[in-house]
Amino acid sequence: MSHLLQTPIEYLKGVGPQRGDLLRKELGIFKYQDLINFYPNRYIDRTRYYKINELQNNPSELQVIGKIIHIKTVEFGKNKKRLVATFADETGQMELVWFQGFKWIKESLQLNVPMVVFGKCTSFNGAFNMSHPEMELLSEHEKSLRSALQPVYPSTETLTNRGVTNRAVNKMMQQLFLETQDLFAETLPPYLIDELKLLPKKTALFNIHFPKSQDLLARAQFRLKFEELFYIQLQLITKNLIRKHKIKGHPFTLVGTYFNDFFQNHLPFDLTNAQKRVLKEIRNDMGNSAQMNRLLQGDVGSGKTIVAFMSMLLALDNGFQACLMAPTEILANQHFIGLSELANELNINIKILTGSTKTAQRKVIHEELENGTLQILIGTHALLEDKVQFHNLGLAIIDEQHRFGVEQRSKLWKKNNIPPHVLVMTATPIPRTLAMSLYGDLDISIIDELPPGRKPIQTVHRFDSNRLKVWKFIRDEMALGRQIYIVYPLIQESEKMDFKDLMDGYESISRDFPLPQYAVSILHGKMKPADKEAEMKRFSEGKTNIMVATTVIEVGVNVPNASVMIIESAERFGLSQLHQLRGRVGRGADQSYCILMTSHKLSNDSKLRMDTMVQTNDGFEIAEVDLKLRGPGDLMGKQQSGVLNLQIADIVRDKDILQLARHYAIKILKADAPLQQPENAILKTVFIEMTKKQNIWNYIS
């Protein structure tokens, strides 16, 4: 059977070369198999037929039986035409209207023949009309393979304009089911189908395209969503198991002087329970002979750095080197400053390598790395250069990994014959559902409590009209010796205007807070790196009171004395960005504030974003709302968005099915990891088929 499903789409009756080409270009449908898996995105109830005198302005589509009694072309405006047909039944008349493609529509219209028309109705000057309706002869309509619930397939403008309407797709589907005679192979083992009371595959496929009832449609959707998510989880978990068996790591069995000395004598504060738990997970991983591959999530300020440092000490205790790679120079410098303070207490040799490291320093770093005297190296992408060779790298830590592509990460592995343990850190909370799908093959650790003594940041939403009050508030804060961030959006599409706003803002702030009493810094992406560093330095040393900036400060600027973050045009930022920005304050012991400034005109989504920020400081909660608003593609940014081109499941709406699928995938692999038992033969066959189609899944980690 499977060979029939591999038939190129143009061979399906009613498709042909031209339509085949359109389907390939517009929808990525190459073979019969792709068409079967092209699922409707909604359904319309077509059990009811309306009379013309029952019509109302109705947002949903409806169907009417009648005859065309007259056709004319009407000119309107300059060089514009429309085709109008008068459609009548025994209760009255309405108009059918076309604005495009009327050459072939006109040819296909028949007068005085009973037809079914289907579309959205609008009234105009007291008469009803339907534009670009779907039409079918009543005789055809009555005998077609049709269900009361009519599927609506995703489409594009090009397809509609070239006559590949929803009805055309529906006809192709009917033809496909006639040709293939429902011979779809089952893809899940009988025991799973029985246990979860799933529909058989062929029943599910038939009912997703031609639902016999609402109930069968719901069961068909459940079956197909479960299967899609189940196989993804099966792949991810298998990969995790293979890594643990096959990819040998260095077992760090020793907890030695560095770790113990630091823990007993130099720990700047007590670890929280969450930090202790995560350290234990990391120690267990690194103590095994398998390579660690762990994702460490923790909100801004939750103390990931100290956990990372203590993990490095374990590598050093076992005679290995460690490195930390960050996405920007500012961030790498910050890590270096923070970690040097800790490392110097223990006489550890630690250095930094970035694009702006001088040649002479580079030489020293390269030499010390190769002979093993350099123990910890912090850096940016510069660490990936071929010249950078480690003596024996035991632990690689990657910060904010979503900013690095997959190939870049694998470059670090290849610097050793045995791959280092890997710890990936992120302050971008990833909702559990997304983490299970994107990083299902990484083990996940979460630091979910803030260090003691940190006061939660107070967030308020103010309209532009309250600006004077806000300015008074920050004057009072500065009088107490605090510092202020004021952040402006700078978005590529509207960069020129945004830049003007930023400069105007900077000028008016400098007027409102004049020298010598106040000093104002400015920071934006167009400045030279050296100027950025200088401005940052002035602010962190307290020489300026206010830092006016674009989102370049989103990542890794640590000024404990800055206690107020004002975000201008906050409605133009995404939720996770607002949350990241807010995390720049609240790093000292003082009460900190975040003020979201917006105009009065807010969309519903913007309002929801502001309310969420005011109500919660919990990054995971915020990420869940963000996921609902933006969907998984946007949340992961460009590099990862191809990852989740799911055909039917939706990670946000179907998270219960996702959890169920993951549960069963783990259960099955625990009992039979190689899928060798006879009852798992189907799983193995489908699994091998899937991995052949070098899907993006195989590349994620």
Side-chain angles (χ1 to χ4, degrees):
M1 171 60 216
S2 63
H3 62 275
L4 181 56
L5 290 180
Q6 299 313 309
T7 312
I9 197 67
E10 57 265 33
Y11 292 109
L12 185 69
K13 189 177 166 198
V15 177
Q18 278 173 318
R19 272 192 172 178
D21 203 41
L22 271 176
L23 292 174
R24 275 194 293 274
K25 281 195 185 113
E26 295 290 308
L27 300 171
I29 294 174
F30 290 83
K31 304 173 178 167
Y32 282 19
Q33 175 92 50
D34 301 326
L35 185 59
I36 289 275
N37 295 333
F38 180 58
Y39 301 121
N41 51 9
R42 61 194 178 91
Y43 296 83
I44 293 159
D45 189 348
R46 293 188 75 159
T47 43
R48 173 152 188 217
Y49 298 93
Y50 286 77
K51 297 282 179 228
I52 290 177
N53 66 356
E54 298 176 317
L55 296 178
Q56 301 159 348
N57 252 341
N58 191 328
S60 58
E61 289 135 315
L62 38 87
Q63 52 192 357
V64 185
I65 301 174
K67 298 174 179 177
I68 293 179
I69 54 174
H70 180 67
I71 303 171
K72 62 181 176 189
T73 307
V74 180
E75 295 200 9
F76 67 103
K78 216 176 178 179
N79 309 331
K80 287 185 183 167
K81 285 183 186 173
R82 62 173 181 251
L83 182 67
V84 179
T86 308
F87 190 74
D89 69 3
E90 66 277 19
T91 69
Q93 293 186 355
M94 65 187 284
E95 288 190 334
L96 309 178
V97 188
W98 291 268
F99 297 94
Q100 284 155 326
F102 21 90
K103 188 170 159 284
W104 59 268
I105 290 172
K106 203 169 175 180
E107 286 164 12
S108 67
L109 294 180
Q110 294 172 306
L111 289 174
N112 300 316
V113 183
M115 313 196 69
V116 179
V117 297
F118 173 78
K120 278 190 183 149
C121 256
T122 48
S123 68
F124 186 67
N125 292 341
F128 278 95
N129 65 46
M130 200 182 265
S131 61
H132 288 259
E134 284 188 27
M135 308 177 64
E136 195 172 17
L137 295 174
L138 184 60
S139 52
E140 289 282 314
H141 179 80
E142 282 166 347
K143 64 172 194 244
S144 65
L145 178 72
R146 165 178 304 286
S147 54
L149 287 159
Q150 185 101 37
V152 179
Y153 293 92
S155 185
T156 66
E157 212 175 322
T158 312
L159 287 175
T160 318
N161 291 345
R162 305 268 302 265
V164 184
T165 56
N166 196 56
R167 212 176 122 247
V169 175
N170 203 295
K171 278 201 124 123
M172 289 175 204
M173 245 359 133
Q174 293 183 35
Q175 184 58 36
L176 186 61
F177 273 83
L178 291 171
E179 282 189 29
T180 50
Q181 289 296 322
D182 246 22
L183 293 167
F184 306 112
E186 186 47 72
T187 45
L188 291 173
Y191 69 87
L192 205 52
I193 291 175
D194 293 345
E195 193 171 332
L196 290 166
K197 303 192 172 44
L198 298 172
L199 285 183
K201 176 82 173 215
K202 61 183 194 182
T203 316
L205 283 172
F206 188 83
N207 279 284
I208 203 89
H209 294 294
F210 309 103
K212 290 270 185 274
S213 68
Q214 282 286 3
D215 175 56
L216 275 167
L217 172 61
R219 292 186 60 199
Q221 286 173 323
F222 184 86
R223 150 76 211 228
L224 295 169
K225 286 174 176 183
F226 176 84
E227 177 181 335
E228 181 167 43
L229 295 167
F230 171 77
Y231 274 107
I232 286 168
Q233 292 303 325
L234 207 60
Q235 284 201 31
L236 289 168
I237 296 156
T238 303
K239 243 166 60 183
N240 195 341
L241 292 173
I242 289 174
R243 174 181 292 118
K244 287 184 175 160
H245 288 292
K246 268 200 190 155
I247 304 189
K248 292 284 174 260
H250 302 284
F252 294 170
T253 44
L254 204 63
V255 177
T257 359
Y258 282 126
F259 189 91
N260 289 327
D261 179 21
F262 180 75
F263 188 71
Q264 285 152 13
N265 308 321
H266 302 291
L267 204 57
F269 44 76
D270 289 340
L271 296 180
T272 62
N273 288 330
Q275 285 171 316
K276 287 179 187 160
R277 185 188 68 235
V278 168
L279 258 172
K280 200 167 157 192
E281 291 167 350
I282 292 172
R283 274 174 60 170
N284 282 343
D285 274 5
M286 298 204 301
N288 279 323
S289 56
Q291 179 205 19
M292 168 170 86
N293 219 18
R294 193 166 273 284
L295 174 69
L296 173 57
Q297 284 183 270
D299 235 334
V300 176
S302 60
K304 292 185 296 294
T305 317
I306 201 100
V307 169
F309 180 67
M310 292 174 79
S311 310
M312 288 174 161
L313 296 181
L314 282 172
L316 270 51
D317 275 335
N318 286 273
F320 287 91
Q321 296 164 305
C323 73
L324 188 156
M325 185 162 83
T328 63
E329 283 203 18
I330 289 186
L331 200 50
N333 276 319
Q334 274 211 297
H335 279 305
F336 180 64
I337 294 162
L339 293 174
S340 297
E341 283 173 17
L342 302 172
N344 293 341
E345 300 268 337
L346 305 168
N347 296 324
I348 288 171
N349 183 1
I350 177 171
K351 291 200 163 68
I352 181 166
L353 177 65
T354 65
S356 43
T357 306
K358 304 277 185 292
T359 318
Q361 288 166 300
R362 273 172 194 263
K363 244 186 101 172
V364 176
I365 289 174
H366 290 158
E367 278 168 18
E368 291 189 352
L369 261 192
E370 286 186 46
N371 65 31
T373 50
L374 179 52
Q375 293 160 289
I376 295 178
L377 180 61
I378 313 287
T380 53
H381 294 81
L383 296 189
L384 300 174
E385 291 165 6
D386 296 336
K387 282 202 206 67
V388 180
Q389 290 299 329
F390 291 83
H391 176 61
N392 56 356
L393 179 61
L395 171 66
I397 299 178
I398 298 173
D399 195 21
E400 291 305 338
Q401 74 93 32
H402 58 277
R403 293 166 182 243
F404 292 104
V406 180
E407 304 78 59
Q408 293 175 315
R409 279 179 290 170
S410 60
K411 268 192 174 167
L412 269 178
W413 296 194
K414 303 210 173 90
K415 293 185 181 284
N416 274 29
N417 41 15
I418 292 188
H421 292 295
V422 179
L423 183 65
V424 170
M425 299 199 298
T426 178
T428 313
I430 303 160
R432 276 207 60 75
T433 42
L434 206 56
M436 281 185 337
S437 309
L438 283 168
Y439 303 115
D441 59 330
L442 294 181
D443 300 303
I444 297 178
S445 290
I446 296 174
I447 302 184
D448 48 12
E449 59 181 308
L450 290 178
R454 289 268 170 105
K455 296 189 177 76
I457 301 164
Q458 281 188 11
T459 305
V460 292
H461 171 207
R462 295 285 178 262
F463 292 111
D464 290 337
S465 49
N466 300 19
R467 189 168 297 279
L468 289 173
K469 280 189 181 154
V470 173
W471 273 187
K472 179 185 180 315
F473 171 72
I474 63 175
R475 274 198 183 88
D476 296 346
E477 281 290 300
M478 288 189 286
L480 298 170
R482 314 264 190 276
Q483 289 167 283
I484 318 289
Y485 289 109
I486 302 180
V487 179
Y488 282 81
L490 191 55
I491 296 160
Q492 258 146 3
E493 292 80 73
S494 53
E495 198 169 0
K496 284 198 174 73
M497 272 173 53
D498 286 352
F499 195 69
K500 187 177 169 306
D501 289 347
L502 170 78
M503 297 323 270
D504 289 352
Y506 173 63
E507 279 168 25
S508 74
I509 289 160
S510 303
R511 279 197 302 275
D512 290 343
F513 299 96
L515 288 159
Q517 194 183 350
Y518 302 102
V520 183
S521 279
I522 185 163
L523 189 64
H524 55 79
K526 291 187 173 170
M527 292 162 64
K528 293 194 177 76
D531 297 344
K532 277 190 209 169
E533 293 291 336
E535 283 296 285
M536 281 301 312
K537 201 161 175 251
R538 283 177 64 205
F539 187 64
S540 59
E541 288 170 357
K543 291 179 181 157
T544 57
N545 316 74
I546 299 177
M547 163 70 80
V548 176
T550 58
T551 46
V552 286
I553 63 151
E554 175 185 352
V555 177
V557 174
N558 190 1
V559 181
N561 190 42
S563 65
V564 183
M565 163 70 68
I566 295 177
I567 303 177
E568 295 284 352
S569 306
E571 71 272 21
R572 294 181 53 203
F573 290 92
L575 253 181
S576 57
Q577 223 182 359
L578 290 170
H579 180 64
Q580 287 274 332
L581 285 167
R582 169 167 67 185
R584 297 291 124 227
V585 294
R587 299 187 150 235
D590 307 314
Q591 175 62 59
S592 290
Y593 304 89
C594 173
I595 303 172
L596 307 168
M597 303 292 294
T598 71
S599 64
H600 274 280
K601 277 198 248 165
L602 288 183
S603 68
N604 288 343
D605 279 5
S606 300
K607 243 179 90 55
L608 177 59
R609 289 205 298 271
M610 298 309 125
D611 294 348
T612 307
M613 285 293 292
V614 170
Q615 283 156 14
T616 179
N617 277 310
D618 177 346
F620 288 93
E621 212 174 302
I622 285 170
E624 288 286 352
V625 178
D626 206 18
L627 185 59
K628 281 199 181 81
L629 285 173
R630 300 193 359 224
D634 286 350
L635 211 64
M636 293 320 299
K638 290 287 177 287
Q639 301 103 310
Q640 307 271 8
S641 64
V643 170
L644 293 179
N645 29 17
L646 296 173
Q647 284 170 313
I648 189 165
D650 173 310
I651 283 218
V652 187
R653 286 201 296 272
D654 302 321
K655 65 177 183 202
D656 299 347
I657 306 179
L658 172 64
Q659 275 162 338
L660 187 72
R662 186 166 173 88
H663 165 77
Y664 276 97
I666 290 171
K667 190 169 144 187
I668 289 167
L669 289 169
K670 266 202 172 136
D672 177 22
L675 299 177
Q676 276 167 343
Q677 286 162 16
E679 68 267 28
N680 288 328
I682 286 183
L683 290 180
K684 192 161 190 172
T685 314
V686 177
F687 190 75
I688 290 168
E689 273 305 298
M690 281 183 80
T691 33
K692 268 189 209 154
K693 296 190 182 69
Q694 280 297 335
N695 192 324
I696 178 88
W697 291 108
N698 303 334
Y699 294 127
I700 292 181
S701 64

